[in-house]
């Protein structure tokens, strides 16, 4: 089906963040964040910027009620752009409305810092959040990872490494239109070659910057290359129809399911990459509401059915 009319209208005239030139891409991302920004504030949340050991900047959102489940969140931006402001409104709502302690990670960006720099930052921040959860009102027995686009790749990769190394004992991974496969061989990758927001040309530039020319691509860089997905934490995968990443997200979710990982998959007709950040469109609002509901359910410590609301 065609792109949702409200999404199309919202995207008309919005800055396009192409990834060919990192300097221009970062300026365009800043413009896009400003275009989508909404006035937010929440007296129920204490927000603190910190530098973790290893010089990893994070922003911590501490809700009033503690101990709270912990979400370590990684921003999108094709591994090349983005920062803490990209996710500020989202993380503030997770903390204020849903009672989740959030650690948002400002990981190093490519091409100046190719893989594994950003991944190492995200893994280090996740280990720190688990070991020091009590310092910011978090519950170390309910730690999750999540992110959108490149942030979804980093969340999936951190979950893989946590499994491989026996910890941290993550309970959930939220993968929103995740980047997963550098091979770019899917029908959706061949179909969505033009804007809006993100297209196969951007994906090609993204991998070029992130991998830094390496040909031995490990699963921690491209999680679809992992041979075994068993033993991973429960997952939620959001996949928009009009997204070059669509098919790799669908394939990864299917592999999680057949590997015995409890997985919720939502494919959204008419939606595009990053649509859940467009609050002027009903599809964007519904997707964000669902993400919040899934987090509440999966971090509550109970095992409810996916259809429970």
């Amino acid at each position: 089906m065609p792109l949702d009319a409200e999404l199309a209208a919202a995207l008309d005239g919005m800055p396009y963040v192409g990834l060919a030139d990192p300097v221009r891409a970062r300026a365009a991302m800043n413009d896009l964040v400003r275009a989508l920004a909404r006035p937010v504030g929440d007296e129920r949340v204490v927000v603190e910027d910190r530098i973790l050991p290893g010089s990893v900047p994070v922003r911590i959102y501490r809700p009033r009620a503690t101990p709270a489940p912990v979400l370590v969140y990684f921003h999108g931006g094709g591994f090349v752009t983005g920062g803490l402001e990209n996710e500020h409104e989202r993380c503030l709502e997770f903390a204020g409305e849903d009672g989740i302690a959030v650690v948002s990670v400002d990981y190093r960006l490519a091409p100046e810092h190719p893989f594994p720099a950003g991944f190492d930052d995200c893994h280090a921040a996740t280990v720190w959040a688990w070991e020091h959860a009590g310092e910011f009102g978090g519950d170390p027995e309910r730690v999750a990872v999540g992110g959108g686009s490149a942030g979804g790749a980093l969340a999936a990769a951190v979950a893989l490494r946590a499994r491989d190394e026996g910890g941290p004992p993550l309970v959930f991974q939220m993968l929103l239109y995740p980047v997963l496969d550098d091979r770019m061989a899917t029908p959706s990758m061949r179909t969505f070659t033009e804007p809006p927001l993100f297209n196969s040309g951007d994906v090609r530039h993204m991998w070029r910057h992130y991998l830094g020319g390496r040909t031995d691509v490990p699963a921690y860089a491209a999680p679809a290359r992992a041979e075994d997905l068993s033993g991973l934490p429960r997952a939620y995968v959001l996949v928009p129809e009009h997204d070059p990443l669509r098919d790799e997200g669908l394939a990864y979710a299917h592999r999680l399911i057949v590997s015995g990982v409890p997985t919720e998959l939502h494919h959204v007709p008419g939606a595009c990459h990053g649509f859940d950040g467009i609050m002027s469109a009903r599809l964007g609002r519904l997707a964000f509401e669902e993400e919040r509901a899934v987090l509440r359910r999966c971090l509550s410590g109970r095992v409810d059915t996916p259809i429970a609301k």
Side-chain angles (χ1 to χ4, degrees), residues 49-130:
D49 288 347
R50 293 184 61 170
I51 305 295
L52 303 185
S55 301
V56 181
V58 299
R59 180 170 294 170
I60 301 171
Y61 300 78
R62 178 173 179 163
R64 182 173 295 173
T66 60
V70 177
L71 174 65
V72 187
Y73 201 80
F74 314 123
H75 67 79
F79 305 111
V80 173
T81 73
L84 297 176
E85 296 307 319
N86 288 50
E87 308 296 349
H88 180 66
E89 297 166 21
R90 179 189 300 265
C91 294
L92 196 64
E93 196 145 357
F94 287 156
E97 293 293 330
D98 305 313
I100 299 168
V102 183
V103 178
S104 183
V105 185
D106 196 11
Y107 55 88
R108 286 172 288 176
L109 299 175
E112 296 88 345
H113 304 283
F115 176 85
F119 167 68
D120 286 343
D121 290 346
C122 292
H123 178 260
T126 304
V127 172
W128 180 89
W130 172 56

Side-chain angles (χ1 to χ4, degrees), residues 160 163-164 180 183 217-220 222-229 232 252 255:
L160 284 168
R163 178 203 63 182
D164 295 345
L180 295 165
R183 292 164 289 195
V217 182
Y220 294 162
R225 288 183 175 266
E227 295 182 1
D228 179 14
L229 299 186
L232 289 169
Y252 197 76
R255 289 185 60 204

Side-chain angles (χ1 to χ4, degrees), residues 134-172:
E135 295 181 15
F136 54 90
D139 180 354
E141 295 185 0
R142 291 183 292 161
V143 178
V145 291
S149 193
L154 292 163
V158 168
L160 284 168
R161 183 170 172 183
R163 178 203 63 182
D164 295 345
E165 298 183 355
L170 302 176
V171 299
F172 181 63

